[in-house]
Amino acid sequence: MDKYTMMAPKNRGAFAERLAELYLSVGKYLDEEQAEGRKLQFCKIFLSDAQNQYQKLVESELYQELIMPAFVSVIEQSPLDGSKISLLLKTSTDEAPYTFQSFRLSEEETHGQNSYLQTMMLFEKYLKWLEDRGLSLKEHCVRTWLYVADIDVNYQGMVKARNDIFRRYGLTVDTHFIASTGIGGFTETRSASVALDVLTYDNIQESDKMYLHALDHLNHTHEYGVAFERGTRLTLSDKQIYYISGTASIDKHGHVIYMGDIRRQTGRLLENIGALLKDGGATMNDIQYFVVYLRDFSDRDVVEQFLSAAYPTIPHVLVHAKVCRPEWLVEMECVAQR
C-alpha cells in the first residue's frame, strides 16, 4: 500500500532550526510508517530560497540520514504557509517499480545557453540514461515535470525544445505524448532557466497505459502548440495509478475561463480533474494528494479555504509558482490510485 503525506515545520526561526524540527518529526513519522511495513520511497522538497537554503538542506541530518536513501526532488517554489520548506513524502510497503530522477544543469553548463538549449541538454541527459538501459522515451517515461525560471519569458523556448525532442522520438499527435507539468520554479543553479524531473517505469508496455482526455471539458493540448497528455492511467499488477498533469481553468475550446476570479478558477480546474479521472474510471475520492501552484501570494487564503472545505482528508501543499499563461491564477496536479 502507498501512502502520501505533507510535512512542514511550525518553527518560524532560522532555516537551520526548521530543519532540526523536521528531522525529529520526519524521523518519528518514518518510524511509525516502518511499524506499518512502509518505508520512504520518494520525497519532494519545496524551498522558499534555493540560493540560500539548498546547501544547508543537503548537508543536514534530515537530508543525509532520513531522505537521501529515497528518490528526491528539490525545487524552489515557496511554500505559502510561511514554512520556508515543505515536504511531500511517499511511503510504501512495496519496492519502487519505477525510477524517479531530477536532472539539473550546473553554472558551467548553463552559461550563455537559453531556455531552448537548456531544455535540449536536460533531455539529452535523460535520453542517454534510457539508452544505456535499453529503455525508450515513448514507452517507459510516464511523467515529466519541467520547472521554468521566469516562466513568462522562458516558457516558449522550453516548449519548442520539448516538441522537437518528442517529434524526433516518435511522440506525435498520432501516437501519444507524456503527462507533464510545466510550471515556474528555480533551482540552486542561479543561471538555470529550466530543470527536469522524470518518472520512468522499466517493466511496462504501451498497453499498460491509458491517456485521459475528457474532451467535454478540455481540448487536446496540441491544439495550442504544446506536447503533453492531460493525464495517464498506468495499470500495474495490483493497482491503477493516475498521473494528472498540471490542470487549470480551461474549457473544451482551450480558452482560459473565469479570468481574474481565483475562486471560480479553482472550482473549474477541480471539475476538470474530476472529468479526467472519470475518463479513466476513477473519482476525486481516489486522489492521494494535490500540489497547488499559485501565481499570486495573496490568493492563498481563498484557495486554502476552498480545498480544506471540499477535500479535508486529501493532503495538499500550496506553493508560489507562476503558471504558463498569465491569465491562469492557479494550477493543480495530483496522483490518484485504485
Side-chain angles (χ1 to χ4, degrees), residues 108-314:
E108 292 75 20
E109 289 173 312
T110 58
H111 182 71
Q113 309 290 344
N114 59 25
S115 61
Y116 175 89
L117 293 172
Q118 289 189 29
T119 305
M120 296 293 283
M121 293 166 66
L122 289 163
F123 270 106
E124 292 294 347
K125 288 174 182 279
Y126 177 46
L127 289 161
K128 178 64 166 59
W129 182 88
L130 289 170
E131 181 183 359
D132 289 346
R133 286 153 185 80
L135 304 176
S136 74
L137 179 68
K138 187 175 180 181
E139 187 166 18
H140 298 101
C141 182
V142 173
R143 184 73 163 87
T144 70
W145 293 259
L146 285 142
Y147 306 106
V148 185
D150 298 321
I151 194 168
D152 294 337
V153 174
N154 291 318
Y155 183 70
Q156 288 306 317
M158 180 278 286
V159 166
K160 185 177 187 306
R162 180 175 60 183
N163 289 354
D164 289 350
I165 287 282
F166 282 7
R167 191 179 305 113
R168 184 192 309 169
Y169 286 88
L171 292 156
T172 70
V173 173
D174 298 322
T175 58
H176 67 83
F177 297 117
I178 297 167
S180 185
T181 298
I183 197 73
F186 298 83
T187 73
E188 68 279 9
T189 302
R190 188 171 304 181
S191 57
S193 299
V194 187
L196 173 67
D197 287 349
V198 290
L199 188 65
T200 311
Y201 280 78
D202 295 12
N203 298 311
I204 62 169
Q205 303 174 23
E206 190 57 36
S207 58
D208 296 325
K209 293 181 283 182
M210 174 185 176
Y211 301 101
L212 310 176
H213 302 297
L215 294 178
D216 56 339
H217 279 71
L218 308 101
N219 69 329
H220 288 295
T221 62
H222 67 79
E223 293 177 5
Y224 50 91
V226 292
F228 71 94
E229 295 291 344
R230 298 212 181 268
T232 300
R233 185 189 74 187
L234 179 63
T235 300
L236 303 178
S237 60
D238 60 341
K239 57 194 166 189
Q240 291 182 320
I241 307 174
Y242 299 75
Y243 294 101
I244 302 300
S245 301
T247 303
S249 179
I250 192 170
D251 66 15
K252 65 181 180 180
H253 305 294
H255 300 145
V256 180
I257 52 178
Y258 306 129
M259 287 190 287
D261 190 328
I262 185 63
R263 185 180 296 277
R264 296 186 76 186
Q265 284 201 15
T266 302
R268 175 63 190 211
L269 77 82
L270 288 167
E271 181 182 337
N272 287 344
I273 288 174
L276 289 166
L277 291 172
K278 182 179 179 181
D279 195 39
T283 72
M284 299 294 279
N285 292 328
D286 297 312
I287 292 174
Q288 304 296 298
Y289 69 87
F290 291 108
V291 177
V292 185
Y293 304 104
L294 289 181
R295 185 176 185 88
D296 187 340
F297 281 101
S298 64
D299 288 329
R300 186 251 178 207
D301 289 346
V302 173
V303 178
E304 177 63 41
Q305 290 167 10
F306 193 117
L307 274 181
S308 295
Y311 304 104
T313 63
I314 299 177

